[in-house]
Amino acid sequence: MIRENLNTVQEAIKKSCGAAGRQPGDVTLVAVSKTKPLSDLREAYEAGVRDFGENKVQELTDKIPELPSDIRWHMIGHLQRNKVKYIVGKVSMIHSVDSLRLAEEISREAVRKDTAVDILIEVNVAAEESKYGITPAEAPDLVEKIAALPGIKVCGLMTIAPYTENPEENRPFFRKLKQLSVDIQEKNIDNVNMSVLSMGMTGDYSVAIEEGATCVRVGTGIFGERQLH
Ligand SMILES: *Cc1c(COP(=O)(O)O)cnc(C)c1O
């Protein structure tokens, strides 16, 4: 089932890229495997997936040693400063950086481990009370401050759009994040290259791609519904 789901998602990505005049290779599909057993991840791996997304540090660090080392792990969930040390050096990108204090901790840990960490800044474009992320207005200043830290590379922006039955409702939010990334890119800040736009999930990734997503995070569409826990 996972292989078929994956095919369906990949076809839909191609179609949206075609409609938007973009190349499918410009969009990275991150398979969001949170709460799913290793057997599911192995199945996706066998079907060619190399980018996996997890939202909890414990689950991430439990899964990493059990799976092949050529997997690129994406931390997509809220990250507490005291857990940064467990993932720096293990994940290929942290999508959920939403404060200078968190970035400083990542920087310290990266320097300690003599590595560099690719990060995205999480922006709450829809201004939802329940969501993490900074406001669009705060983004340029925060990007500039974080970019000055050693061991960190700001690669772009991420957002989690509201849950909706109608993906068109999220189009304005995706458009806004894209515009924000263009605005920040134009500032030519040292050590900043806004090349990644992580937006779009199972319900709305096609619209996100039309609006410029370079990275879509799809869980349910690949692995099926998650059990609540
Ligand atoms: C769970 C999750 C996803 C995937 O959600 P689906 O609707 O299952 O595709 C994407 N991004 C983040 C940050 C998530 O926590």
Side-chain angles (χ1 to χ4, degrees), residues 204-216:
D204 55 19
Y205 65 87
S206 290
V207 172
I209 290 170
E210 287 165 18
E211 295 301 330
T214 69
C215 178
V216 293

Side-chain angles (χ1 to χ4, degrees), residues 32 34 55 76-77 158 160 200-203 217-221 224 226:
V32 177
K34 62 190 186 196
N55 69 339
I76 61 174
M158 177 269 223
I160 305 174
M201 310 184 1
T202 296
R217 309 176 308 264
V218 179
T220 313
R226 287 178 292 274

Side-chain angles (χ1 to χ4, degrees), residues 107-213:
S107 168
R108 259 193 298 279
E109 192 60 27
V111 169
R112 185 157 33 224
K113 289 184 174 145
D114 195 21
T115 186
V117 183
D118 287 346
I119 65 145
L120 304 178
I121 306 297
E122 181 172 353
V123 184
N124 184 2
V125 259
E128 285 186 287
E129 291 268 354
S130 61
K131 296 255 166 79
Y132 293 104
I134 59 164
T135 67
E138 291 168 322
D141 186 52
L142 185 64
V143 166
E144 191 157 0
K145 288 195 171 107
I146 292 177
L149 300 172
I152 275 202
K153 190 157 178 298
V154 181
C155 301
L157 305 176
M158 177 269 223
T159 198
I160 305 174
Y163 177 78
T164 169
E165 295 285 328
N166 175 10
E168 282 301 327
E169 285 176 6
N170 282 338
R171 189 181 293 278
F173 301 130
F174 297 143
R175 193 165 287 180
K176 191 163 173 184
L177 194 71
K178 168 73 186 183
Q179 188 57 53
L180 185 60
S181 94
V182 169
D183 292 346
I184 293 172
Q185 184 65 50
E186 282 174 356
K187 289 176 176 281
N188 280 321
I189 304 165
D190 259 8
N191 197 30
V192 173
N193 183 1
M194 290 274 128
S195 54
V196 179
L197 212 48
S198 172
M199 58 187 194
M201 310 184 1
T202 296
D204 55 19
Y205 65 87
S206 290
V207 172
I209 290 170
E210 287 165 18
E211 295 301 330

